[in-house]
Amino acid sequence: CGGEANGATFTHRLNLGLHEAAVKGVNLDVLYLGWSGHREGNYKHNKPTPGRKSSLLRRAEYVWTTVAYILWPAGAKKLLEAAQPLNQPVDNFMAWEAREGRLDAYVLLDEGDTNDTWAGGIVTQLDFTGDSDIKKSDGGDQGHDPTEFL
């Protein structure tokens, strides 16, 4: 990711993504700035939409690793209403709400992100497996059951 080491790149890509969302009328509840998982271009379950894909924004299907994101008030309200109680890791919860279509979640792509990659964005996480003792869901890619916490 070019943005992780360069503040100007980070700011530039973020501004481009927010501008594109505004111009295209994309309703954002959450915008992941760094992510792992499935999004438009590499969906695991959802059917792709026809047409040319943005080089900046893609709809998230199931994204874990909530390393950096922007949460809009409407998205926060949706999550708070659904979390009665919140009894699972927050990244699993947010990903499931997006997967079920209850949260308008998008990822911000960096210049080098391609459809054959499962992670990307303008920030990155140092160590996915060793940064916490809390069990994480990865949407099933590493053998975890994404429905375990439902």
Side-chain angles (χ1 to χ4, degrees):
C1 303
E4 70 191 58
N6 182 327
T9 301
F10 173 91
T11 302
H12 179 69
R13 293 293 291 181
L14 178 57
N15 286 335
L16 287 173
L18 293 174
H19 178 74
E20 181 176 305
V23 168
K24 292 185 175 180
V26 175
N27 183 34
L28 295 171
D29 286 335
V30 63
L31 178 62
Y32 290 97
L33 306 179
W35 48 273
S36 299
H38 301 286
R39 43 83 180 163
E40 191 167 27
N42 73 348
Y43 281 153
K44 185 169 184 167
H45 300 284
N46 293 347
K47 297 197 185 311
T49 56
R52 188 164 185 245
K53 306 296 180 246
S54 168
S55 63
L56 290 166
L57 298 174
R58 301 284 178 89
R59 180 174 284 281
E61 177 184 53
Y62 190 99
V63 174
W64 61 92
T65 308
T66 53
V67 62
Y69 57 90
I70 300 169
L71 181 62
W72 275 259
K77 183 177 180 182
K78 289 176 184 179
L79 292 171
L80 288 170
E81 288 172 355
Q84 301 296 324
L86 179 58
N87 59 358
Q88 58 186 296
V90 69
D91 56 348
N92 186 76
F93 171 66
M94 291 174 69
W96 191 258
E97 291 302 298
R99 164 73 174 84
E100 294 299 301
R102 295 185 290 257
L103 187 68
D104 290 320
Y106 287 79
V107 298
L108 181 64
L109 301 175
D110 199 6
E111 291 175 353
D113 295 342
T114 63
N115 286 341
D116 61 344
T117 59
W118 60 274
I122 58 174
V123 298
T124 191
Q125 182 176 17
L126 180 62
D127 182 4
F128 175 76
T129 57
D131 68 349
S132 173
D133 62 352
I134 298 171
K135 184 176 179 180
K136 301 176 183 179
S137 171
D138 63 1
D141 274 2
Q142 298 174 38
H144 300 123
D145 180 2
T147 64
E148 177 180 346
F149 300 100
L150 299 178

